[in-house]
Coordinates of all heavy atoms in Angstrom, one line a residue:
M1 N -6.0 51.9 9.5 CA -5.8 50.4 9.3 C -7.1 49.7 9.6 O -7.7 50.0 10.6 CB -4.7 49.9 10.2 CG -3.4 49.8 9.6 SD -2.3 48.9 10.8 CE -1.1 48.4 9.6
S2 N -7.4 48.7 8.8 CA -8.6 47.9 9.1 C -8.2 46.6 9.6 O -7.1 46.0 9.3 CB -9.4 47.8 7.8 OG -8.7 47.1 6.8
A3 N -9.0 46.0 10.4 CA -8.8 44.7 11.0 C -9.1 43.6 10.0 O -10.0 43.8 9.1 CB -9.6 44.5 12.2
T4 N -8.4 42.5 10.0 CA -8.7 41.4 9.1 C -9.4 40.3 9.9 O -9.0 39.9 11.0 CB -7.3 40.8 8.6 OG1 -6.6 41.8 7.9 CG2 -7.6 39.6 7.7
D5 N -10.5 39.9 9.4 CA -11.3 38.8 9.9 C -10.6 37.5 9.5 O -10.7 37.1 8.4 CB -12.7 38.8 9.4 CG -13.6 37.7 9.9 OD1 -13.1 36.8 10.7 OD2 -14.7 37.6 9.5
I6 N -9.9 36.8 10.5 CA -9.1 35.6 10.1 C -10.0 34.5 9.7 O -9.6 33.6 9.0 CB -8.1 35.2 11.2 CG1 -8.9 34.8 12.5 CG2 -7.1 36.3 11.5 CD1 -8.0 34.0 13.5
G7 N -11.3 34.6 10.0 CA -12.2 33.5 9.5 C -12.4 33.5 8.0 O -13.0 32.6 7.5
T8 N -12.0 34.6 7.4 CA -12.1 34.7 5.9 C -10.9 34.2 5.2 O -10.9 34.2 3.9 CB -12.4 36.1 5.5 OG1 -11.3 36.9 5.8 CG2 -13.7 36.6 6.1
L9 N -9.8 33.9 5.9 CA -8.6 33.5 5.3 C -8.4 32.1 4.8 O -7.6 31.7 4.0 CB -7.4 33.9 6.2 CG -7.3 35.4 6.5 CD1 -6.1 35.6 7.5 CD2 -7.1 36.2 5.3
I10 N -9.3 31.2 5.4 CA -9.3 29.8 5.0 C -10.7 29.5 4.3 O -11.7 29.8 4.9 CB -9.0 28.8 6.1 CG1 -7.7 29.1 6.8 CG2 -9.1 27.4 5.7 CD1 -6.5 28.9 6.0
V11 N -10.7 28.9 3.1 CA -11.9 28.7 2.4 C -12.0 27.3 1.9 O -10.9 26.6 1.8 CB -12.1 29.7 1.3 CG1 -12.3 31.1 1.8 CG2 -11.0 29.6 0.3
K12 N -13.2 26.8 1.6 CA -13.4 25.5 0.9 C -14.3 25.8 -0.3 O -15.3 26.5 -0.1 CB -14.0 24.5 1.8 CG -13.2 24.1 3.0 CD -14.0 23.1 3.8 CE -13.4 22.6 5.1 NZ -14.2 21.7 5.8
S13 N -14.0 25.3 -1.4 CA -14.9 25.3 -2.5 C -14.8 24.1 -3.3 O -13.6 23.6 -3.6 CB -14.7 26.6 -3.4 OG -13.3 26.7 -3.7
P14 N -15.9 23.4 -3.7 CA -15.8 22.1 -4.4 C -15.0 22.1 -5.7 O -14.4 21.1 -6.1 CB -17.3 21.8 -4.6 CG -18.1 22.9 -4.3 CD -17.2 23.9 -3.5
E15 N -15.0 23.3 -6.4 CA -14.3 23.3 -7.7 C -12.8 23.5 -7.5 O -12.0 23.5 -8.5 CB -14.9 24.4 -8.5 CG -14.7 25.8 -8.0 CD -15.6 26.3 -7.0 OE1 -16.6 25.6 -6.6 OE2 -15.4 27.4 -6.5
T16 N -12.3 23.7 -6.3 CA -10.8 24.0 -6.1 C -10.3 23.0 -5.1 O -10.8 22.9 -4.0 CB -10.6 25.4 -5.6 OG1 -11.1 26.3 -6.6 CG2 -9.1 25.7 -5.6
L17 N -9.3 22.2 -5.5 CA -8.7 21.2 -4.6 C -9.7 20.2 -4.1 O -9.5 19.8 -2.9 CB -7.9 21.9 -3.5 CG -6.8 22.9 -3.9 CD1 -6.1 23.5 -2.6 CD2 -5.7 22.1 -4.7
D18 N -10.7 19.9 -4.8 CA -11.7 18.9 -4.4 C -12.3 19.3 -3.1 O -12.7 18.4 -2.3 CB -11.1 17.5 -4.3 CG -10.6 17.0 -5.7 OD1 -11.3 17.2 -6.7 OD2 -9.6 16.3 -5.7
G19 N -12.4 20.6 -2.8 CA -13.1 21.0 -1.6 C -12.3 21.0 -0.4 O -12.8 21.4 0.7
R20 N -11.0 20.7 -0.5 CA -10.1 20.7 0.7 C -9.9 22.2 1.1 O -9.9 23.1 0.3 CB -8.8 20.1 0.4 CG -8.9 18.6 0.3 CD -7.5 17.9 -0.1 NE -7.2 18.3 -1.5 CZ -6.0 18.4 -2.0 NH1 -5.0 18.1 -1.2 NH2 -5.8 18.7 -3.2
P21 N -9.7 22.4 2.4 CA -9.5 23.8 2.9 C -8.2 24.3 2.3 O -7.2 23.6 2.3 CB -9.5 23.6 4.4 CG -9.2 22.2 4.7 CD -9.7 21.4 3.5
R22 N -8.2 25.6 2.0 CA -7.1 26.2 1.4 C -7.0 27.7 1.8 O -8.0 28.2 2.3 CB -7.1 26.1 -0.1 CG -8.3 26.8 -0.7 CD -8.4 26.6 -2.2 NE -9.7 27.1 -2.8 CZ -10.0 28.3 -3.0 NH1 -9.1 29.3 -2.9 NH2 -11.1 28.7 -3.5
I23 N -5.9 28.3 1.5 CA -5.7 29.8 1.8 C -6.5 30.5 0.7 O -6.4 30.3 -0.5 CB -4.3 30.2 1.8 CG1 -3.5 29.4 2.9 CG2 -4.1 31.7 1.9 CD1 -2.0 29.6 2.8
A24 N -7.4 31.4 1.2 CA -8.3 32.2 0.3 C -7.4 32.9 -0.8 O -6.4 33.4 -0.4 CB -9.1 33.2 1.0
G25 N -7.9 32.8 -2.0 CA -7.2 33.5 -3.1 C -6.0 32.8 -3.6 O -5.3 33.3 -4.5
T26 N -5.8 31.5 -3.1 CA -4.7 30.7 -3.6 C -5.2 29.3 -3.8 O -6.3 29.0 -3.5 CB -3.5 30.7 -2.6 OG1 -3.9 29.8 -1.5 CG2 -3.1 32.0 -2.1
K27 N -4.3 28.4 -4.3 CA -4.5 27.0 -4.4 C -3.6 26.3 -3.4 O -3.3 25.1 -3.5 CB -4.3 26.5 -5.8 CG -5.4 27.0 -6.8 CD -5.2 26.3 -8.1 CE -6.3 26.8 -9.0 NZ -6.2 26.2 -10.4
V28 N -3.2 27.0 -2.4 CA -2.3 26.4 -1.3 C -3.2 25.8 -0.3 O -4.0 26.5 0.4 CB -1.4 27.5 -0.7 CG1 -0.6 26.9 0.4 CG2 -0.5 28.1 -1.8
S29 N -3.2 24.5 -0.1 CA -4.0 23.8 0.8 C -3.5 23.9 2.3 O -2.2 24.0 2.5 CB -4.2 22.3 0.4 OG -3.0 21.6 0.6
V30 N -4.4 23.7 3.2 CA -4.0 23.6 4.6 C -3.0 22.4 4.7 O -2.0 22.4 5.5 CB -5.2 23.5 5.5 CG1 -4.8 23.2 7.0 CG2 -6.0 24.8 5.5
Q31 N -3.4 21.3 4.0 CA -2.6 20.1 4.1 C -1.1 20.4 3.6 O -0.2 19.8 4.3 CB -3.3 19.1 3.1 CG -2.6 17.8 2.9 CD -3.4 17.0 1.9 OE1 -4.5 17.2 1.7 NE2 -2.7 16.0 1.3
R32 N -0.9 21.2 2.6 CA 0.4 21.5 2.1 C 1.3 22.2 3.2 O 2.4 21.9 3.5 CB 0.4 22.3 0.9 CG 1.7 22.5 0.2 CD 1.5 23.2 -1.1 NE 2.8 23.5 -1.7 CZ 3.0 24.3 -2.7 NH1 1.9 24.9 -3.3 NH2 4.2 24.6 -3.1
I33 N 0.7 23.2 3.8 CA 1.4 24.0 4.8 C 1.6 23.1 6.0 O 2.7 23.1 6.6 CB 0.5 25.2 5.3 CG1 0.3 26.2 4.1 CG2 1.1 25.9 6.5 CD1 1.5 26.9 3.6
T34 N 0.7 22.2 6.4 CA 0.8 21.3 7.5 C 2.0 20.3 7.2 O 2.7 20.0 8.1 CB -0.5 20.5 7.7 OG1 -1.5 21.4 8.0 CG2 -0.3 19.5 8.8
A35 N 2.1 19.9 6.0 CA 3.2 19.0 5.7 C 4.6 19.6 5.9 O 5.5 19.0 6.5 CB 3.1 18.6 4.2
W36 N 4.7 20.9 5.6 CA 6.0 21.6 5.8 C 6.2 21.7 7.4 O 7.3 21.5 7.9 CB 5.9 23.0 5.2 CG 6.1 23.1 3.8 CD1 5.2 23.2 2.8 CD2 7.4 23.0 3.0 NE1 5.7 23.2 1.6 CE2 7.0 23.1 1.7 CE3 8.7 22.8 3.4 CZ2 8.0 23.1 0.7 CZ3 9.7 22.8 2.4 CH2 9.3 22.9 1.1
Y37 N 5.1 22.1 8.1 CA 5.2 22.2 9.5 C 5.6 20.9 10.2 O 6.4 20.9 11.1 CB 3.8 22.7 10.0 CG 3.6 22.7 11.5 CD1 4.2 23.7 12.3 CD2 2.8 21.8 12.1 CE1 4.0 23.7 13.6 CE2 2.6 21.8 13.5 CZ 3.2 22.8 14.2 OH 3.0 22.8 15.6
K38 N 5.0 19.8 9.7 CA 5.3 18.5 10.3 C 6.8 18.0 10.0 O 7.3 17.2 10.6 CB 4.3 17.5 9.8 CG 2.9 17.7 10.4 CD 1.9 16.7 9.9 CE 2.0 15.5 10.8 NZ 0.9 14.5 10.5
L39 N 7.4 18.6 8.9 CA 8.8 18.4 8.6 C 9.7 19.2 9.5 O 10.9 19.0 9.5 CB 9.1 18.7 7.2 CG 8.5 17.7 6.2 CD1 8.7 18.2 4.7 CD2 9.2 16.3 6.3
G40 N 9.1 20.0 10.4 CA 9.9 20.8 11.3 C 10.2 22.2 11.0 O 10.9 22.9 11.7
L41 N 9.6 22.7 9.9 CA 9.7 24.2 9.6 C 8.8 25.0 10.4 O 7.7 24.6 10.7 CB 9.4 24.4 8.1 CG 10.5 24.1 7.1 CD1 10.8 22.6 7.0 CD2 10.2 24.7 5.8
N42 N 9.3 26.2 10.8 CA 8.4 27.1 11.6 C 7.7 28.0 10.6 O 7.9 27.9 9.4 CB 9.2 27.9 12.6 CG 10.2 28.8 12.0 OD1 10.0 29.4 11.0 ND2 11.3 29.0 12.7
A43 N 6.7 28.8 11.1 CA 5.9 29.6 10.2 C 6.7 30.5 9.3 O 6.4 30.7 8.1 CB 4.9 30.4 11.0
E44 N 7.7 31.1 9.9 CA 8.5 32.1 9.1 C 9.2 31.3 8.0 O 9.3 31.8 6.8 CB 9.6 32.8 10.0 CG 9.0 33.8 11.0 CD 8.3 33.2 12.2 OE1 8.4 31.9 12.4 OE2 7.7 33.9 13.0
E45 N 9.8 30.1 8.2 CA 10.5 29.4 7.2 C 9.5 28.9 6.1 O 9.9 28.9 4.9 CB 11.1 28.1 7.8 CG 12.3 28.5 8.7 CD 12.8 27.3 9.6 OE1 11.9 26.5 10.0 OE2 14.0 27.3 9.8
I46 N 8.3 28.6 6.5 CA 7.3 28.1 5.5 C 7.0 29.3 4.6 O 7.0 29.1 3.4 CB 6.0 27.6 6.2 CG1 6.4 26.3 6.9 CG2 4.9 27.3 5.2 CD1 5.3 25.8 7.9
A47 N 6.7 30.4 5.1 CA 6.3 31.6 4.3 C 7.5 32.0 3.4 O 7.3 32.3 2.2 CB 6.0 32.8 5.2
E48 N 8.7 31.9 3.9 CA 9.9 32.2 3.1 C 10.0 31.2 1.9 O 10.3 31.6 0.8 CB 11.1 32.3 3.9 CG 12.4 32.7 3.2 CD 13.6 32.8 4.1 OE1 13.5 33.4 5.2 OE2 14.6 32.1 3.8
R49 N 9.9 30.0 2.2 CA 10.1 28.9 1.2 C 9.0 28.9 0.2 O 9.2 28.7 -1.0 CB 10.2 27.5 1.8 CG 11.5 27.3 2.5 CD 11.7 25.9 2.8 NE 12.9 25.7 3.6 CZ 13.5 24.5 3.7 NH1 13.0 23.4 3.2 NH2 14.6 24.4 4.4
M50 N 7.8 29.2 0.6 CA 6.6 29.1 -0.3 C 6.7 30.3 -1.2 O 6.4 30.2 -2.4 CB 5.3 29.1 0.5 CG 5.1 27.9 1.3 SD 4.5 26.4 0.5 CE 3.0 27.0 -0.3
G51 N 6.9 31.5 -0.7 CA 7.0 32.7 -1.5 C 5.7 33.3 -1.9 O 5.7 34.5 -2.1
N52 N 4.7 32.6 -2.0 CA 3.4 33.1 -2.5 C 2.4 33.2 -1.4 O 1.2 33.5 -1.6 CB 2.8 32.3 -3.6 CG 2.5 30.8 -3.2 OD1 3.2 30.3 -2.4 ND2 1.6 30.2 -3.9
V53 N 2.8 33.0 -0.1 CA 1.9 33.2 1.0 C 2.7 34.0 2.1 O 3.9 34.0 2.1 CB 1.4 31.9 1.7 CG1 0.6 31.1 0.7 CG2 2.6 31.0 2.1
N54 N 1.9 34.8 2.9 CA 2.6 35.6 3.9 C 2.5 34.9 5.3 O 1.8 33.9 5.4 CB 2.0 37.0 3.9 CG 0.6 37.1 4.2 OD1 0.1 36.4 5.2 ND2 -0.2 37.9 3.5
L55 N 3.1 35.5 6.2 CA 3.2 35.0 7.6 C 1.8 34.9 8.2 O 1.5 33.9 8.9 CB 4.1 35.8 8.4 CG 4.6 35.2 9.7 CD1 5.2 33.9 9.5 CD2 5.6 36.2 10.4
V56 N 0.9 35.9 8.0 CA -0.4 35.8 8.6 C -1.2 34.6 8.0 O -1.8 33.8 8.7 CB -1.2 37.1 8.3 CG1 -2.7 37.0 8.6 CG2 -0.6 38.3 9.0
Q57 N -1.0 34.3 6.7 CA -1.7 33.2 6.1 C -1.2 31.9 6.7 O -1.9 31.0 6.9 CB -1.5 33.2 4.6 CG -2.2 34.4 3.9 CD -1.8 34.6 2.5 OE1 -0.7 34.6 2.1 NE2 -2.8 34.7 1.6
V58 N 0.1 31.8 6.9 CA 0.7 30.6 7.4 C 0.2 30.3 8.8 O -0.2 29.2 9.2 CB 2.3 30.6 7.3 CG1 2.8 29.4 8.1 CG2 2.7 30.6 5.9
Y59 N 0.3 31.3 9.7 CA -0.2 31.2 11.0 C -1.7 30.8 11.1 O -2.1 30.0 11.9 CB 0.0 32.4 11.9 CG 1.4 32.5 12.5 CD1 2.3 33.4 12.2 CD2 1.8 31.5 13.4 CE1 3.6 33.5 12.7 CE2 3.1 31.5 14.0 CZ 4.0 32.5 13.6 OH 5.2 32.5 14.2
T60 N -2.5 31.4 10.2 CA -3.9 31.1 10.2 C -4.1 29.7 9.7 O -5.0 28.9 10.3 CB -4.7 32.1 9.2 OG1 -4.5 33.4 9.6 CG2 -6.1 31.8 9.1
T61 N -3.3 29.2 8.8 CA -3.4 27.9 8.3 C -3.1 26.9 9.4 O -3.7 25.9 9.6 CB -2.5 27.7 7.1 OG1 -2.9 28.6 6.1 CG2 -2.5 26.2 6.6
L62 N -2.0 27.2 10.1 CA -1.6 26.3 11.2 C -2.7 26.3 12.3 O -2.9 25.2 13.0 CB -0.2 26.7 11.8 CG 0.9 26.4 10.8 CD1 2.2 27.0 11.3 CD2 1.1 25.0 10.4
T63 N -3.3 27.4 12.6 CA -4.4 27.5 13.6 C -5.5 26.6 13.1 O -6.1 25.8 13.9 CB -4.8 28.9 13.8 OG1 -3.7 29.7 14.2 CG2 -6.0 29.0 14.7
Y64 N -5.9 26.7 11.8 CA -6.9 25.8 11.3 C -6.6 24.4 11.4 O -7.4 23.6 11.8 CB -7.2 26.1 9.8 CG -8.3 25.4 9.2 CD1 -9.6 26.0 9.2 CD2 -8.2 24.1 8.7 CE1 -10.7 25.3 8.7 CE2 -9.3 23.4 8.3 CZ -10.5 24.0 8.2 OH -11.6 23.2 7.7
Y65 N -5.3 24.0 11.1 CA -4.9 22.6 11.3 C -5.1 22.1 12.7 O -5.7 21.1 13.0 CB -3.4 22.4 10.9 CG -2.8 21.1 11.4 CD1 -3.3 19.9 10.9 CD2 -1.8 21.1 12.3 CE1 -2.7 18.7 11.3 CE2 -1.3 20.0 12.8 CZ -1.7 18.8 12.3 OH -1.2 17.6 12.7
H66 N -4.6 22.9 13.7 CA -4.7 22.5 15.1 C -6.2 22.5 15.6 O -6.5 21.6 16.4 CB -3.9 23.4 16.0 CG -2.4 23.2 15.8 ND1 -1.8 22.0 16.2 CD2 -1.4 24.0 15.2 CE1 -0.5 22.1 15.9 NE2 -0.3 23.3 15.3
A67 N -7.0 23.3 15.0 CA -8.4 23.3 15.4 C -9.2 22.2 14.7 O -10.3 21.8 15.2 CB -9.1 24.7 15.1
N68 N -8.7 21.7 13.6 CA -9.4 20.7 12.8 C -8.4 19.5 12.4 O -8.4 19.1 11.3 CB -9.9 21.3 11.5 CG -10.9 22.5 11.8 OD1 -12.0 22.2 12.1 ND2 -10.4 23.7 11.8
R69 N -7.7 19.1 13.4 CA -6.6 18.1 13.2 C -7.2 16.8 12.5 O -6.5 16.3 11.6 CB -5.9 17.8 14.5 CG -4.7 17.0 14.3 CD -4.0 16.7 15.7 NE -3.6 18.0 16.3 CZ -2.4 18.3 16.5 NH1 -1.4 17.6 16.1 NH2 -2.1 19.4 17.1
E70 N -8.3 16.3 13.0 CA -8.8 15.1 12.4 C -9.1 15.2 10.9 O -8.8 14.3 10.1 CB -10.1 14.6 13.1 CG -9.8 14.1 14.5 CD -11.1 13.6 15.2 OE1 -12.0 13.2 14.5 OE2 -11.1 13.5 16.4
E71 N -9.7 16.3 10.5 CA -10.0 16.5 9.1 C -8.7 16.5 8.3 O -8.6 15.9 7.2 CB -10.7 17.9 8.9 CG -10.9 18.3 7.5 CD -11.4 19.7 7.3 OE1 -11.3 20.5 8.3 OE2 -11.9 20.0 6.2
I72 N -7.7 17.3 8.7 CA -6.5 17.4 7.9 C -5.7 16.2 7.9 O -5.1 15.7 6.9 CB -5.6 18.6 8.4 CG1 -6.5 19.9 8.4 CG2 -4.4 18.8 7.6 CD1 -7.1 20.3 7.0
E73 N -5.6 15.5 9.1 CA -4.9 14.2 9.1 C -5.5 13.2 8.2 O -4.9 12.3 7.6 CB -4.8 13.7 10.6 CG -3.9 14.5 11.5 CD -2.4 14.5 11.1 OE1 -2.0 13.5 10.4 OE2 -1.7 15.4 11.5
A74 N -6.9 13.2 8.0 CA -7.5 12.3 7.1 C -7.1 12.6 5.7 O -6.9 11.6 4.9 CB -9.1 12.4 7.2
Y75 N -7.0 13.8 5.3 CA -6.5 14.2 4.0 C -5.0 13.7 3.8 O -4.7 13.1 2.7 CB -6.5 15.7 3.7 CG -7.9 16.3 3.6 CD1 -8.3 17.4 4.3 CD2 -8.8 15.8 2.6 CE1 -9.5 17.9 4.2 CE2 -10.0 16.4 2.5 CZ -10.4 17.4 3.3 OH -11.6 18.0 3.1
I76 N -4.2 13.9 4.8 CA -2.8 13.4 4.7 C -2.8 11.9 4.6 O -2.0 11.4 3.8 CB -2.0 13.9 5.9 CG1 -1.9 15.5 5.8 CG2 -0.7 13.3 6.0 CD1 -1.3 16.1 7.1
S77 N -3.5 11.2 5.4 CA -3.6 9.7 5.3 C -4.0 9.2 4.0 O -3.4 8.3 3.4 CB -4.5 9.1 6.4 OG -3.9 9.4 7.7
A78 N -5.0 9.8 3.4 CA -5.5 9.5 2.1 C -4.5 9.7 1.0 O -4.3 8.9 0.1 CB -6.8 10.2 1.8
E79 N -3.8 10.8 1.1 CA -2.7 11.1 0.2 C -1.6 10.1 0.3 O -1.1 9.6 -0.8 CB -2.2 12.5 0.4 CG -1.2 13.0 -0.7 CD -0.8 14.4 -0.5 OE1 0.1 14.7 0.4 OE2 -1.4 15.3 -1.2
K80 N -1.2 9.7 1.5 CA -0.1 8.7 1.6 C -0.6 7.4 1.1 O 0.2 6.7 0.4 CB 0.2 8.5 3.1 CG 1.0 9.7 3.7 CD 1.4 9.4 5.1 CE 2.2 10.6 5.7 NZ 2.4 10.4 7.1
A81 N -1.8 7.0 1.3 CA -2.3 5.7 0.7 C -2.3 5.7 -0.8 O -2.0 4.8 -1.4 CB -3.8 5.5 1.3
D82 N -2.7 6.9 -1.4 CA -2.7 7.0 -2.8 C -1.3 6.9 -3.4 O -1.0 6.2 -4.4 CB -3.3 8.3 -3.3 CG -4.8 8.4 -3.2 OD1 -5.4 7.3 -3.0 OD2 -5.3 9.5 -3.2
Y83 N -0.3 7.5 -2.7 CA 1.1 7.5 -3.1 C 1.6 6.0 -3.0 O 2.2 5.5 -4.0 CB 1.9 8.3 -2.2 CG 3.4 8.2 -2.5 CD1 4.0 8.9 -3.5 CD2 4.2 7.4 -1.7 CE1 5.3 8.8 -3.8 CE2 5.6 7.3 -2.0 CZ 6.1 8.0 -3.1 OH 7.4 7.9 -3.3
K84 N 1.3 5.3 -1.9 CA 1.7 3.9 -1.8 C 1.1 3.0 -2.9 O 1.8 2.2 -3.5 CB 1.4 3.4 -0.4 CG 2.3 3.9 0.7 CD 1.9 3.4 2.0 CE 2.7 4.1 3.1 NZ 2.4 3.6 4.4
R85 N -0.2 3.3 -3.2 CA -0.9 2.5 -4.2 C -0.2 2.7 -5.6 O 0.1 1.8 -6.3 CB -2.4 2.9 -4.3 CG -3.1 2.1 -5.3 CD -4.6 2.6 -5.4 NE -4.7 4.0 -5.6 CZ -4.5 4.7 -6.8 NH1 -4.2 4.0 -7.8 NH2 -4.7 6.0 -6.8
L86 N 0.1 4.0 -5.9 CA 0.7 4.3 -7.2 C 2.1 3.7 -7.3 O 2.5 3.3 -8.3 CB 0.7 5.8 -7.4 CG -0.6 6.5 -7.7 CD1 -0.5 8.0 -7.6 CD2 -1.2 6.0 -9.0
A87 N 2.8 3.8 -6.1 CA 4.2 3.2 -6.1 C 4.1 1.7 -6.4 O 4.9 1.2 -7.2 CB 4.9 3.5 -4.8
R88 N 3.2 1.0 -5.8 CA 3.0 -0.5 -6.1 C 2.7 -0.7 -7.5 O 3.2 -1.6 -8.2 CB 2.0 -1.1 -5.2 CG 2.4 -1.3 -3.7 CD 1.4 -2.1 -3.0 NE 0.0 -1.6 -3.0 CZ -0.4 -0.7 -2.1 NH1 0.3 -0.2 -1.2 NH2 -1.7 -0.3 -2.2
E89 N 1.8 0.1 -8.1 CA 1.4 0.0 -9.5 C 2.6 0.2 -10.4 O 2.7 -0.5 -11.4 CB 0.2 0.9 -9.8 CG -1.1 0.5 -9.2 CD -2.2 1.6 -9.5 OE1 -2.0 2.5 -10.2 OE2 -3.3 1.4 -8.9
M90 N 3.4 1.2 -10.1 CA 4.6 1.5 -10.9 C 5.6 0.3 -10.8 O 6.2 0.0 -11.8 CB 5.2 2.8 -10.5 CG 4.4 4.0 -10.8 SD 3.9 4.1 -12.5 CE 5.5 4.4 -13.3
E91 N 5.7 -0.3 -9.7 CA 6.6 -1.4 -9.5 C 6.2 -2.6 -10.4 O 7.0 -3.3 -11.0 CB 6.7 -1.9 -8.1 CG 7.5 -0.9 -7.2 CD 7.5 -1.4 -5.7 OE1 6.8 -2.4 -5.4 OE2 8.1 -0.6 -4.9
Q92 N 4.9 -2.8 -10.5 CA 4.4 -3.9 -11.3 C 4.6 -3.6 -12.8 O 4.8 -4.6 -13.6 CB 2.9 -4.1 -11.1 CG 2.6 -4.6 -9.7 CD 1.1 -4.6 -9.4 OE1 0.2 -4.2 -10.2 NE2 0.7 -5.1 -8.2
V93 N 4.7 -2.4 -13.2 CA 4.9 -2.0 -14.6 C 6.3 -2.2 -15.0 O 6.6 -2.6 -16.1 CB 4.5 -0.5 -14.9 CG1 4.8 -0.1 -16.3 CG2 3.0 -0.4 -14.7
I94 N 7.2 -2.0 -14.1 CA 8.7 -2.0 -14.4 C 9.2 -3.4 -14.4 O 8.9 -4.4 -14.2 CB 9.5 -1.2 -13.3 CG1 9.1 0.2 -13.4 CG2 11.0 -1.4 -13.5 CD1 9.7 1.1 -12.4

């Protein structure tokens, strides 16, 4: 058995998800896993619901979130602001 360098499991690349941190080999962002976590799901539940990530990836993602909370919270805040802006725009159309 070979050891896994957990530092390789979270990556950022400008061409994928606008450079937001994500699970290597996927388009699953740290932000997305964090959202499930903040809704009260544990790592096992997140891995089961997502289906395309494993438990090691979820735990690594949550570790990244806790180590880089300000960065991820900024992404979450920006997403919420965009959602609210779009909702207001849609109300004006209706």
Side-chain angles (χ1 to χ4, degrees):
M1 263 189 157
S2 63
T4 299
D5 177 1
I6 64 168
T8 64
L9 298 178
I10 302 296
V11 297
K12 294 180 186 181
S13 51
E15 67 278 356
T16 305
L17 301 178
D18 295 323
R20 288 177 289 155
R22 62 183 170 82
I23 298 172
T26 75
K27 290 186 179 180
V28 178
S29 67
V30 171
Q31 178 181 338
R32 184 172 177 198
I33 298 292
T34 299
W36 285 101
Y37 172 73
K38 290 177 84 172
L39 287 173
L41 277 70
N42 65 37
E44 289 81 3
E45 293 168 325
I46 294 168
E48 184 178 308
R49 287 194 184 194
M50 298 280 303
N52 62 332
V53 297
N54 63 44
L55 195 53
V56 171
Q57 292 169 312
V58 173
Y59 275 116
T60 302
T61 301
L62 293 174
T63 300
Y64 185 94
Y65 165 67
H66 288 292
N68 300 278
R69 191 178 298 249
E70 286 183 26
E71 174 192 15
I72 303 306
E73 290 296 337
Y75 289 127
I76 292 169
S77 293
E79 187 174 79
K80 285 180 182 178
D82 286 344
Y83 175 82
K84 287 178 182 178
R85 180 185 52 78
L86 289 171
R88 283 192 306 274
E89 289 174 7
M90 291 304 295
E91 287 177 0
Q92 291 174 358
V93 172
I94 296 176

